[in-house]
Structure formats: C-alpha cells, structure tokens
Amino acid sequence: MKSCQICEKTDNLLYCARCVNTAYCSHEHQKMDWKEHKRVCKKNAADSSIHNNNTTTVQEDPKVQTENLLTDIGDLSIRAENPQFMPQWVAQNSLGLEVLDEFSDRERNMITRITNNLKQLGICVIDNFLDRPIAEKCWDDARALHSMPRIFKPGQVVDQGGREKIRGDEIVWLDGSEENAKNISYVCRKIDTIISKCNSRIGYKISQRTKAMLACYPGNGAAYKCHIDNPSGDGRCITAIYYMNRNWDKEKMGGVLRLYPTAFAKSKVAEVIPHFNRLLLFYSDSRNPHEVLPAFAERFAVTIWYFDEEERAKALATWAKNLPRR
C-alpha cells in the first residue's frame, strides 16, 4: 500500500504529477521531500512518458510551469474595465456538462495539477492538452468556420459606457450540435470531463457551463482591453481557453493574453502565449484581471465559462425579481 514519503500516512494521498509514483499526504510534505525525490523523479518521469505514449508529463511542482510564465513589469497601475454581462445572458447561455467515459492516467495527473495551481495561484496552463491529430482537426474546424460568410459576429459587451472600443475579436457561439465543428465539440467535452473531476476540490459545485465561444482576432492589431470576466456575481467561476494557433511567434504576431493575478506581487504579470494545443484555466472573478494584447495574425481560441451553482442561482433569482411586471 502506498504511503506518504514523509509521514507514512495512507489516506487522501497526492502523487507527484511528473513521475506518478511517489505519494504525499500534503503539498507541504511534497516540498519537504523534493531535494531527495528529484534525484529519482526524472528517471521515473521518463518511464512514465513511455507508458503514456510519449506525451508530455505534468510538472512535479505545481508552481513550476505557471511561474515560467511570470514577467516582472515593475510598478504598474492596472485599471480593469468591467463591461456588464447582464444576468439574463447567464440564463440564456447555459448547457449541462458533457462528460466523456474515457479518462487516462495523464488526465488524472492534470486534475492534481489544475487543483493545485488554481488553489495556490488562481491560474493553470496545460500544454499538449489533446493528442496532436485531434488538435490539428480542431484548428481545421476553426479556420473552415471562419471562412464561411456571416458566421462570425463582432464580439460585444452589454455596456461599453460610450468609451473607446473594449474588444476587437470576432466570435460565434457553439452548442455542440454543429456538424462542421465536431472536433471543437470534442475538445469542449474533454474540458468538461476535466472540470467535472476537479470542481469540488476547488470549492465550487459545477454542473453547467456556457456554450463554447469560438473567437478569432483577425490579425489587424485587434485586442481586448483589460477586464474581469465576472465582476458582478453572474455565476461564472472558471474560465477555460483552448488555443489553436500553429507556429505562433510572439514577437511577430503578438496576441499574448496578459493576466494580473492578485495571487502574485503587483509587479508581476503572467503572459500566456496562445500556442497550439494549449489549455488555460483561471478564476473568472476579480482575482484575474486580464487583457489580450494586439494580434497581428489570425488568432483562434475556444472559451468556455463554468458556472458555480449557488452563485448562478442567486444571479438568476435577482434577474427574475427585477423583470418588468406586465
């Protein structure tokens, strides 16, 4: 029977997400053992990668990959726009989760990684999220949809307050029934499956989400000003973004998503390059103001927002109460 490497407890164990071999009862004990464990972890991780069809394994320390995204920008005053998505938008744009039956060892590792990163930092990045052939088909779906006339519409917010334009993307909402977006529908179900396994671990009860928003920044310098996804308690708790951009060159193409997580020092930002087959997850509330910097090439991403049942119910009740009486 497996036990914690430090104290030998056997209950509620967590496993090193890199080698999937050594167990701990807590993150504190994992950190205590790292100096010793790292000597064997790399070998075990290599063995694990062979077992997992040579896919990239998750980092052993839940902070490692996220901290690699950090940039020191010095003193900076951040002003996030709060464009209001009215509660009726929440009511009109929700679906139940579609959970897949298959669930691999690598995806179990993702659950630990996502849970740890969200709890500690409020964001998580997973690279090589799908098998590459499926990821390629998702990109094909996105480009084919974008080539069709009158499918995409300018991204909007309910209230821009008469100020300058907040966002410059083009979007289409997908509910999973679209014949020409089956591969994108699959990635949405894959994300649903991951979220369904870790939602209670991060303090939410999640059984519904929005439709999938396929967005394209058309490459003309389009951007999205700094904003908070859910500034008003509309129910959205987790933002999931899946990127589909092959050979993305940050220096030439821009389009970086820059987050200002409150979990970091004020001088730090997290810059997420929209690389092909990359999944980004973060808390949707005021903990993560973020913006999309100007993009100078077509930039595709699918975004899903997941609802916390309690907050969403309150938002819907408030909306219903304020409906005009006939």
Side-chain angles (χ1 to χ4, degrees):
M1 177 181 292
K2 285 283 186 180
S3 61
C4 175
Q5 193 75 1
I6 297 295
C7 68
E8 299 188 352
K9 286 184 179 179
T10 58
D11 296 332
N12 301 317
L13 295 177
L14 303 172
Y15 286 80
C16 169
R18 183 180 185 184
C19 68
V20 203
N21 185 53
T22 304
Y24 301 97
C25 70
S26 66
H27 301 306
E28 288 72 20
H29 282 187
Q30 180 189 29
K31 291 175 183 177
M32 287 172 60
D33 189 50
W34 175 238
K35 286 185 179 180
E36 294 297 324
H37 178 58
K38 68 181 179 181
R39 299 173 184 174
V40 297
C41 184
K42 192 171 292 187
K43 179 181 184 300
N44 289 338
D47 294 341
S48 177
S49 67
I50 295 171
H51 175 72
N52 286 311
N53 299 318
N54 295 319
T55 57
T56 302
T57 55
V58 183
Q59 295 283 357
E60 74 291 336
D61 184 335
K63 290 188 177 182
V64 169
Q65 184 164 344
T66 302
E67 289 185 340
N68 289 340
L69 304 172
L70 295 187
T71 301
D72 195 327
I73 57 173
D75 293 334
L76 183 67
S77 177
I78 302 302
R79 180 181 179 274
E81 302 286 348
N82 289 332
Q84 297 297 305
F85 291 92
M86 301 298 285
Q88 57 264 40
W89 177 86
V90 179
Q92 295 163 358
N93 186 5
S94 62
L95 300 170
L97 304 192
E98 293 189 58
V99 178
L100 298 171
D101 291 333
E102 70 261 23
F103 201 66
S104 68
D105 287 342
R106 181 170 184 261
E107 287 161 343
R108 290 186 179 89
N109 295 342
M110 287 183 193
I111 299 306
T112 301
R113 165 78 169 282
I114 290 167
T115 301
N116 294 343
N117 276 184
L118 288 178
K119 282 183 175 180
Q120 296 177 23
L121 304 168
I123 65 175
C124 183
V125 173
I126 301 290
D127 286 320
N128 303 311
F129 180 61
L130 297 177
D131 291 338
R132 189 174 182 91
I134 299 174
E136 297 277 4
K137 291 176 181 177
C138 287
W139 190 52
D140 291 340
D141 279 0
R143 290 187 302 157
L145 283 168
H146 193 249
S147 69
M148 299 171 66
R150 296 182 296 279
I151 295 292
F152 281 70
K153 307 294 182 185
Q156 295 181 340
V157 293
V158 173
D159 179 17
Q160 300 202 77
R163 297 183 295 272
E164 61 183 299
K165 191 173 183 180
I166 291 176
R167 60 189 294 187
D169 55 340
E170 303 168 350
I171 68 169
V172 60
W173 292 99
L174 305 173
D175 64 13
S177 64
E178 296 81 7
E179 284 296 318
N180 50 1
K182 288 184 177 179
N183 297 293
I184 292 175
S185 177
Y186 176 79
V187 72
C188 293
R189 295 199 301 274
K190 185 70 87 172
I191 300 171
D192 282 358
T193 304
I194 295 291
I195 292 294
S196 73
K197 301 290 185 181
C198 68
N199 64 28
S200 61
R201 302 185 188 190
I202 54 176
Y204 295 111
K205 187 174 182 181
I206 300 171
S207 60
Q208 291 191 314
R209 63 167 172 87
T210 64
K211 298 175 184 177
M213 185 187 77
L214 175 60
C216 175
Y217 288 79
N220 56 2
Y224 199 146
K225 284 183 171 296
C226 188
H227 64 285
I228 296 167
D229 283 350
N230 178 14
S232 57
D234 64 23
R236 290 175 292 169
C237 60
I238 300 293
T239 300
I241 306 176
Y242 177 72
Y243 294 109
M244 299 174 287
N245 306 292
R246 287 197 302 188
N247 304 316
W248 192 265
D249 185 331
K250 170 189 170 182
E251 302 305 321
K252 295 179 181 178
M253 301 175 178
V256 169
L257 187 142
R258 179 179 285 173
L259 297 108
Y260 304 89
T262 57
F264 300 152
K266 288 185 178 180
S267 64
K268 298 282 187 181
V269 299
E271 293 194 336
V272 181
I273 302 171
H275 283 313
F276 178 74
N277 202 13
R278 166 173 277 185
L279 176 67
L280 167 66
L281 300 167
F282 58 89
Y283 289 130
S284 306
D285 58 22
S286 59
R287 285 172 284 187
N288 283 305
H290 58 284
E291 63 181 323
V292 177
L293 302 183
F296 300 99
E298 280 191 343
R299 175 191 186 276
F300 289 101
V302 171
T303 302
I304 301 171
W305 288 277
Y306 289 88
F307 293 123
D308 173 61
E309 288 186 6
E310 183 177 351
E311 184 179 299
R312 179 173 178 269
K314 290 179 180 178
L316 293 177
T318 300
W319 171 61
K321 184 178 178 181
N322 293 332
L323 282 175
R325 298 182 182 279
R326 295 186 178 181

